[in-house]
Amino acid sequence: MSFLLRVVLPDKPGSLGAVATALGNAGADILGVDVVERGQGHAVDDLAVELPHGRPPDVLITAAESVPGVEVESVRPHSGRLETHRELELIDQIAGDPDNGLQLLADGVPRIFRAGWALIAARENGSSYRLAESSAAPETRAGDLPWLPLEKATVLDPEVHWVPEPWSALDTELAAAPFGPKDRALVVGRPGGPAFRPSELARLTHLTGIVVTVLGP
């Protein structure tokens, strides 16, 4: 079984090595590491790890948090190795097939941000609708997203930003980024978390900005 482990650890030499050693002692094999964020004395890393069949994922939490100063933010099933810097590959695909650019973006974003789904929403005359969606995007009735347009990439809080109930089901963490000059946004859902961090919002902003430039307003 493979899992994606998000850890917060002291940003100092040896911290990640100590976590890797602890996970190895617990029988886990590390398949890949992706640096999510660094700053203010800490680092946030995603580790793809594999456990022998029958071993519960709880052992990953126990092992990682046995290292002083380390906190496990989330553990969830994961398929395959981490593949970083996939934004450029997706942008290249969209540039090569602009007629299907919105669908390519919706399909590609969940893989890049290790999320469950993505969709591109638009608002016009007080009602909202979808321009494209990934295969796992939740089904909803037509409604309105009154927080459109967005000024910047934002973590959506259902208590502040109204969203259809299926979007926030399963403890789904939500993030949205403006998509062009119109009342449009790219919405990303991550069922079960972890929460979107500022560095991920920055990447989302960068990606949507480039795609809008490629596709035009």
Side-chain angles (χ1 to χ4, degrees), residues 1 58 178-179 199:
M1 290 289 294
D58 290 356
F179 191 72
S199 60

mmCIF file of all heavy atoms in Angstrom, residues 1 58 178-179 199:
data_model
loop_
_atom_site.group_PDB
_atom_site.id
_atom_site.type_symbol
_atom_site.label_atom_id
_atom_site.label_comp_id
_atom_site.label_asym_id
_atom_site.label_seq_id
_atom_site.Cartn_x
_atom_site.Cartn_y
_atom_site.Cartn_z
ATOM 1 N N MET A 1 0.843 -1.197 0.000
ATOM 2 C CA MET A 1 0.000 0.000 0.000
ATOM 3 C C MET A 1 0.875 1.244 0.000
ATOM 4 O O MET A 1 1.850 1.333 0.736
ATOM 5 C CB MET A 1 -0.900 0.003 1.236
ATOM 6 C CG MET A 1 -1.988 -1.053 1.218
ATOM 7 S SD MET A 1 -3.278 -0.646 0.002
ATOM 8 C CE MET A 1 -3.973 0.833 0.717
ATOM 9 N N ASP A 58 -1.301 4.057 10.539
ATOM 10 C CA ASP A 58 -1.004 4.705 11.822
ATOM 11 C C ASP A 58 0.473 4.599 12.185
ATOM 12 O O ASP A 58 1.010 5.468 12.893
ATOM 13 C CB ASP A 58 -1.843 4.096 12.943
ATOM 14 C CG ASP A 58 -3.324 4.459 12.821
ATOM 15 O OD1 ASP A 58 -3.657 5.242 11.918
ATOM 16 O OD2 ASP A 58 -4.131 3.956 13.619
ATOM 17 N N PRO A 178 -8.503 33.071 -9.495
ATOM 18 C CA PRO A 178 -9.119 33.778 -10.625
ATOM 19 C C PRO A 178 -8.638 33.196 -11.945
ATOM 20 O O PRO A 178 -7.478 32.802 -12.074
ATOM 21 C CB PRO A 178 -8.621 35.220 -10.451
ATOM 22 C CG PRO A 178 -8.142 35.314 -9.050
ATOM 23 C CD PRO A 178 -7.676 33.949 -8.663
ATOM 24 N N PHE A 179 -9.548 33.158 -12.907
ATOM 25 C CA PHE A 179 -9.183 32.608 -14.214
ATOM 26 C C PHE A 179 -9.580 33.600 -15.288
ATOM 27 O O PHE A 179 -10.666 33.542 -15.854
ATOM 28 C CB PHE A 179 -9.881 31.263 -14.430
ATOM 29 C CG PHE A 179 -9.369 30.512 -15.628
ATOM 30 C CD1 PHE A 179 -8.121 29.918 -15.605
ATOM 31 C CD2 PHE A 179 -10.128 30.420 -16.779
ATOM 32 C CE1 PHE A 179 -7.639 29.239 -16.719
ATOM 33 C CE2 PHE A 179 -9.666 29.744 -17.888
ATOM 34 C CZ PHE A 179 -8.408 29.155 -17.862
ATOM 35 N N SER A 199 1.983 28.503 -0.351
ATOM 36 C CA SER A 199 2.835 28.184 -1.495
ATOM 37 C C SER A 199 2.050 27.490 -2.601
ATOM 38 O O SER A 199 2.316 27.690 -3.793
ATOM 39 C CB SER A 199 4.000 27.294 -1.047
ATOM 40 O OG SER A 199 3.522 26.081 -0.484
#
